[in-house]
Amino acid sequence: MTTSTDLLQALRAIVGTRHVLTGDGRTRRFRKGYRFGEGDALAVVQPGSLVEQWRVVKACVEAGRIVIMQAANTGLTGGSTPDGVYDREVVILSTTRIDGIHLIRDGRQVICLPGASLYALEDRLKPLGREPHSVIGSSCIGASVIGGVCNNSGGSLIQRGPAYTQLALYAQVRADGALELVNHLGLAIEGDPEAILARVEAGDFTDAEILDPAGAAASDSGYVERIRDVDADTPARYNADADRLFEASGSAGKAVVFAVRLDTFASVGDSAVFYIGTNDPLVLTRIRRDILGGFENLPVAGEYMHRDCYDIAREYGKDTFLAIRKFGTGSMPRLFAMKSAADAVFASIPGAPKFLADRLVQFATSLFPEHLPERMNAYRDRFEHHLMLKMAGPGVEEARRYLAALPAADGEAFECTKDEGDKAFLHRFAAAGAAIRYRAVHHRHVSDIVALDIALPRNTRDWMETLPDDVAAPILKRLYYGHFFCHVFHQDYVVAAGQDPIALEHRMWALLDDRNARYPAEHNVGHLYPAAPSQVSHFRKLDPCNCLNPGIGMTSRKAEWVEA
C-alpha cells in the first residue's frame, strides 16, 4: 500500500511542489462547491499539461486513491467536490492550468482542453463570426467547456441545445484497475498515451489527420425539432436523458476527459430584446406555444423571472451584475478565487463573524446607485411575470408584429435599447447566485437553500407552481426563474432556520413527480439528487472500479461499487 507521504512525493515530482496543495486553508476553495458540497481531500493537484494530468491520475489509481476531476468549480450541485465519507483518500485534480483551444475546420469546430472556459472560447471565436453552444449564463461565472459536456449543461440558447459531443479523448479505469486512453476525438494520431496527449495539446496534427467518423455528432443536432414539438409529453432536455449520455457526455466525473471536439455556430448578428410583462402565467404559455409552433424564425433565447426573484436578484445579485458590467465576464474566475481566499482567511480567525466576506461585499454594493433600467423597474411594479425574448434577423420583425397584437388586458411589451437588453439578461443570470448571498447575509434566520432545476414536459400549460400550505410554510423566499421556451426552470427556496431543508426537498420531489417533471434538468445530479438508472448504467460502464468521483448521484462511495 502506497503511503500518503509517498503519494504526495510522487505527485510533487510530476507537477512541481507549488502545484500540490495540502492543508485545509490552501485547499478550501477546491473542496467547497460554489453553492453546495464540501469534503476532505489529501491534496489538490494542478497539472500543467495533458501528460502531467495522465501521470497524476495513473499515480493515484495505482496507489488506490480516489480522483475527483475539477475545472472551474462553478457547479451548483457539488458534483466536482468531495462530499461525505469515503473508504479511500481523495485527490482533487484541478485542470484550470490546461486551457488550450484549437480551432479546426476554419473555426466551424473546436477542440477544447480541460481548463478552457466558455468565455475564452467565445473570445477566440468572435473574430470569426462564430460562437460556442452557450454565450450566457455559465459563461458569466467562468464555467469550463468540458465541465459543461460532462454535465449535459446549457441549452438556454434555443437553437443550440445542451452541451453534447460524441468526439472526445478520455481515460477510464478498466475493471482490472489499469488506466486506458480512449481516442474517439476523430484525430488519426497513433502512439503511446503520452505521445498522443502531447500532440493533441500542442495542436500537432494536420487537416488530413482530422477525421469525421460516421455518425459521430459534435453537438445536439436534433434539439430544434424537439423544442418545437410543444405537444410532446416529455421534456426537451434533462440530465438523465439516455439519448444524451455518450462516453464523456454526461460522464459527471466518471471519466478523465482530456479533450472534446465540438461544433461552433454562426453569430446571431443583428438582434433585439423584447421585455414582456403579465400577471397571468397562461399568457406566457400562449406566447411560448405560438412562437415555437408558428414562428418561422426561432428565438435566440427566452428567459423568465418572477417578480420575487427580480427583487432578490436586484438586491443580492447586484455585485455580480456590476462586476461583469465593469470588468467583463473574463474577470469572474479571478474574482471568485479572491473571494474564496478571503473566506479561508476569515474562517481561520477565531471569533470572526460568519460569511464576513459576503456581508462586506453586500454592504459595499448597496452604496452604488440603482443599476437596472427605469422601464424594467416600472414593469416590476406592474407585473408579476417577466419574459425576456431575444430575436435575431427576420425574427425581430416577426416578434414586433406578434407582440404589437398582444391584447392590453393580457400584458404589455417593449422593445429594449441595446443597453436595456444587455442589462435585462445580465440581471436574469445574476439571479443564480442571489439566493446564496441572501443566505449569507441573513444566516441567522436561514436554515439553508433548497435549489431545484426541473424540466417540465413540453406540453405543460399550467407551468407555474402552486405549493400546498404545509410545504410553503417553512419557506422564507421563493425564487422562480428559468429558460422558458424549453420549460427548464430554476426554483430556489430559502428555508427558515429550525426547519429541515432535506425533508422539504424530498417532499418537493414527490410534487414534481406528480407533474411528470424530470430533475435535475441541466446542473446534473451532483450530491443532491439520486442518479436515474440510465445514469447509473453510464457511470458503471465508464468506471467499473468506482475510483473516479464515487458517490455521485447518491451512488456507492466504495471501491468496486460495494453497497453501503
Side-chain angles (χ1 to χ4, degrees):
M1 178 68 176
T2 304
T3 67
S4 300
T5 300
D6 288 343
L7 177 58
L8 290 173
Q9 288 178 344
L11 296 175
R12 291 180 181 118
I14 295 170
V15 303
T17 299
R18 65 175 295 197
H19 297 301
V20 178
L21 311 180
T22 58
D24 288 349
R26 298 185 71 201
T27 62
R28 183 180 186 274
R29 73 182 181 93
F30 302 91
R31 294 185 295 103
K32 183 176 175 61
Y34 171 64
R35 175 185 279 175
F36 173 84
E38 183 174 7
D40 296 329
L42 172 65
V44 175
V45 185
Q46 302 169 301
S49 69
L50 295 183
V51 170
E52 287 185 1
Q53 181 178 334
W54 167 267
R55 291 175 179 172
V56 167
V57 175
K58 196 168 187 293
C60 292
V61 169
E62 290 176 351
R65 282 3 184 243
I66 288 167
V67 175
I68 295 180
M69 301 296 299
Q70 184 183 103
N73 192 19
T74 58
L76 301 180
T77 58
S80 60
T81 53
D83 185 83
V85 178
Y86 300 88
D87 59 344
R88 296 147 287 167
E89 289 179 317
V90 172
V91 173
I92 299 172
L93 196 156
S94 173
T95 62
T96 52
R97 295 178 63 211
I98 316 171
D99 57 359
I101 296 172
H102 303 305
L103 307 183
I104 62 174
R105 302 284 198 239
D106 298 319
R108 288 178 286 110
Q109 288 190 329
V110 294
I111 293 174
C112 292
L113 304 188
S117 70
L118 273 170
Y119 169 77
L121 178 57
E122 183 182 352
D123 198 49
R124 286 286 304 277
L125 291 172
K126 191 175 296 183
L128 304 178
R130 309 287 297 179
E131 294 177 343
H133 91 281
S134 179
V135 296
I136 51 179
S138 295
S139 58
C140 288
I141 55 175
S144 69
V145 176
I146 282 183
V149 170
C150 293
N151 289 312
N152 302 116
S153 299
S156 62
L157 296 187
I158 294 168
Q159 301 173 37
R160 301 180 190 178
Y164 178 75
T165 187
Q166 296 175 339
L167 298 167
L169 176 66
Y170 66 97
Q172 61 182 132
V173 184
R174 300 194 311 241
D176 63 2
L179 189 67
E180 176 185 24
L181 186 69
V182 180
N183 182 9
H184 289 169
L185 199 57
L187 292 180
I189 299 178
E190 298 182 351
D192 62 45
E194 293 193 3
I196 293 172
L197 292 168
R199 286 190 61 188
V200 169
E201 181 168 6
D204 181 18
F205 45 82
T206 65
D207 288 346
E209 291 174 307
I210 303 173
L211 308 178
D212 293 307
S219 61
D220 186 358
S221 58
Y223 186 68
V224 167
E225 289 73 22
R226 289 204 311 279
I227 199 171
R228 274 196 181 274
D229 187 0
V230 295
D231 292 315
D233 62 0
T234 57
R237 59 184 178 92
Y238 59 101
N239 288 139
D241 185 352
D243 291 337
R244 251 56 65 186
L245 299 175
F246 187 90
E247 297 181 348
S249 294
S251 57
K254 302 302 286 184
V256 181
V257 184
F258 295 97
V260 295
R261 179 171 157 189
L262 295 161
D263 292 330
T264 68
F265 302 85
S267 300
V268 298
D270 292 337
S271 62
V273 172
F274 299 88
Y275 201 95
I276 303 163
T278 182
N279 289 310
D280 183 356
L282 292 180
V283 169
L284 297 188
T285 298
R286 187 178 73 244
I287 291 174
R288 172 183 173 271
R289 292 179 63 85
D290 286 348
I291 290 177
L292 291 179
F295 271 34
E296 182 177 347
N297 303 280
L298 280 179
V300 175
E303 294 297 314
Y304 168 79
M305 288 185 82
H306 186 271
R307 174 191 281 153
D308 293 344
C309 181
Y310 186 107
D311 291 343
I312 294 293
R314 184 179 181 182
E315 182 173 358
Y316 297 95
K318 187 176 180 180
D319 63 312
T320 298
F321 181 102
L322 294 176
I324 293 173
R325 289 283 292 184
K326 177 68 175 178
F327 303 112
T329 55
S331 68
M332 295 310 291
R334 184 173 68 255
L335 293 175
F336 277 119
M338 290 170 59
K339 180 188 173 296
S340 184
D343 287 336
V345 170
F346 291 140
S348 68
I349 301 174
K354 293 184 66 175
F355 304 108
L356 184 56
D358 283 280
R359 292 158 68 182
L360 290 173
V361 170
Q362 185 63 27
F363 173 75
T365 304
S366 70
L367 301 177
F368 285 81
E370 175 61 55
H371 60 295
L372 297 180
E374 183 179 345
R375 287 201 290 181
M376 281 174 54
N377 287 337
Y379 266 43
R380 178 262 165 229
D381 294 339
R382 296 175 56 204
F383 300 115
E384 183 179 356
H385 305 283
H386 298 235
L387 179 65
M388 288 141 272
L389 176 67
K390 185 175 184 178
M391 304 294 297
V396 174
E397 186 57 35
E398 198 171 11
R400 282 182 186 138
R401 291 195 304 269
Y402 177 84
L403 292 173
L406 183 70
D410 289 348
E412 292 183 19
F414 66 86
E415 185 171 342
C416 298
T417 65
K418 174 68 166 58
D419 186 61
E420 286 174 329
D422 290 345
K423 287 182 175 179
F425 273 88
L426 182 51
H427 179 55
R428 154 64 187 89
F429 287 101
I436 302 171
R437 173 61 53 73
Y438 184 94
R439 176 183 62 184
V441 173
H442 301 281
H443 64 92
R444 291 185 180 87
H445 307 287
V446 175
S447 171
D448 207 343
I449 298 168
V450 171
L452 303 175
D453 65 300
I454 70 167
L456 295 177
R458 285 164 281 174
N459 63 355
T460 300
R461 294 174 184 262
D462 188 11
W463 52 271
M464 188 64 197
E465 178 178 74
T466 301
L467 293 176
D469 290 344
D470 66 308
V471 177
I475 299 173
L476 296 176
K477 298 287 183 181
R478 306 183 211 177
L479 282 70
Y480 295 116
Y481 55 105
H483 315 302
F484 189 69
F485 284 82
C486 58
H487 262 11
V488 167
F489 293 94
H490 302 291
Q491 302 179 173
D492 295 346
Y493 309 90
V494 181
V495 184
Q499 302 293 326
D500 184 350
I502 300 300
L504 180 66
E505 182 172 15
H506 292 176
R507 177 77 171 88
M508 288 180 166
W509 289 353
L511 298 176
L512 292 173
D513 292 341
D514 291 341
R515 301 173 70 194
N516 200 26
R518 299 290 185 272
Y519 51 91
E522 63 179 11
H523 291 157
N524 219 312
V525 288
H527 293 288
L528 278 175
Y529 300 92
S534 58
Q535 292 172 299
V536 175
S537 176
H538 187 51
F539 297 162
R540 295 189 69 137
K541 181 179 179 180
L542 287 171
D543 182 22
C545 291
N546 204 24
C547 57
L548 303 175
N549 208 10
I552 196 76
M554 300 185 182
T555 57
S556 171
R557 288 183 169 85
K558 296 183 179 294
E560 313 295 337
W561 294 88
V562 173
E563 294 298 331

